[in-house]
Amino acid sequence: MNRVVLVDDHQMFRTGVKAELGPSVEIVGEAGDVDEAVAVIKAAAPDVVLLDVHLPGGGGIEVLRRLHGAVPSRFLALSVSDAAEDVIGVVRGGARGYVTKTISGPELTDAIARVADGDAVFSPRLAGFVLDAFAASDAPPADPELDQITQREREVLRLIARGYAYKEIARELFISVKTVETHVSSVLRKLQLSNRHELSRWAAARRLV
């Protein structure tokens, strides 16, 4: 029986997943944000981590970054998002697969078992994103500047580039204005930019808008 940690910021969804999986796996931990996920995964060292892409504290990519090389666990992204940038981002971060939340309980059980055995597992449509990104001869090169920005910082940056005010961003992402300001300051520091106008131009140049 595979030992699994379930990471998602919605308690009701985690409860539903546990019910769907039933006795086929052993749930050895749960987490609702990045910091909690890192601590629980380090403590439990599960076979597989079911990892949501969008999490408070930086997203699934931040969890993967902080745990890189620290645990033997394999990661399977389980998300409502089927956006190519989310799929490619977590795969580059080290996830062994990516399935959407439309997956059935038996399918998810099978995906967990396959990832635990070392296979890569993707929902059919999403596999095409990965092939396009990693196999195409004209695939875009890695962007060191973009890679140092967390998933949450990208979300804030995207909304800034669209002209949102800090209060609007806070409301959209369900975070405080102070947290928005912290993320903006962090991105400015990482990119060595001076203001939100420069941030907007930087985001537009990388088609993050």
Side-chain angles (χ1 to χ4, degrees), residues 84 87-88 92 124-140:
V87 179
I88 294 166
R92 281 184 171 150
R125 192 170 85 86
L126 307 186
F129 295 153
V130 179
L131 290 173
D132 289 344
F134 292 95
S137 59
D138 59 348

Side-chain angles (χ1 to χ4, degrees), residues 44-55:
D47 301 306
V48 176
V49 178
L50 286 179
L51 180 66
D52 192 13
V53 174
H54 301 290
L55 290 169

Side-chain angles (χ1 to χ4, degrees), residues 15 21 35 67 79 90 135 197:
T15 300
L21 293 175
D35 288 340
L67 289 174
S79 176
V90 295
H197 301 296

Side-chain angles (χ1 to χ4, degrees), residues 17-208:
V17 169
K18 287 190 293 183
E20 285 289 330
L21 293 175
S24 61
V25 304
E26 181 186 0
I27 303 295
V28 296
E30 298 180 46
D33 60 39
V34 169
D35 288 340
E36 189 178 13
V38 170
V40 170
I41 294 166
K42 281 183 175 179
D47 301 306
V48 176
V49 178
L50 286 179
L51 180 66
D52 192 13
V53 174
H54 301 290
L55 290 169
I61 291 177
E62 180 66 8
V63 174
L64 290 164
R65 186 190 69 79
R66 287 167 60 176
L67 289 174
H68 181 70
V71 292
S73 308
R74 293 188 169 99
F75 292 81
L76 173 61
L78 175 62
S79 176
V80 69
S81 171
D82 61 359
E85 64 182 49
D86 287 334
V87 179
I88 294 166
V90 295
V91 172
R92 281 184 171 150
R96 293 290 301 175
Y98 194 117
V99 294
T100 62
K101 290 181 178 179
T102 58
I103 194 171
S104 68
E107 289 171 335
L108 183 57
T109 299
D110 179 65
I112 290 170
R114 289 170 59 192
V115 167
D117 287 340
D119 291 343
V121 179
F122 297 91
S123 296
R125 192 170 85 86
L126 307 186
F129 295 153
V130 179
L131 290 173
D132 289 344
F134 292 95
S137 59
D138 59 348
D143 187 332
E145 287 189 330
L146 187 58
D147 287 345
Q148 66 182 317
I149 299 174
T150 68
Q151 182 63 36
R152 178 59 92 182
E153 288 170 349
R154 292 188 196 193
E155 293 169 357
V156 171
L157 180 55
R158 184 178 292 111
L159 294 176
I160 283 179
R162 291 176 181 174
Y164 282 56
Y166 285 3
K167 287 183 179 180
E168 294 172 322
I169 296 172
R171 186 165 58 248
E172 183 78 13
L173 299 180
F174 303 101
I175 57 180
S176 69
V177 173
K178 183 175 178 58
T179 299
V180 173
E181 293 172 346
T182 299
H183 285 313
V184 172
S185 296
S186 175
V187 174
L188 287 171
R189 184 180 67 255
K190 290 177 180 179
L191 301 179
Q192 297 183 347
L193 299 175
S194 301
N195 53 57
R196 62 177 295 163
H197 301 296
E198 291 183 358
L199 277 181
S200 295
R201 288 196 296 271
W202 186 93
R206 284 159 178 79
R207 299 182 179 179
L208 296 180

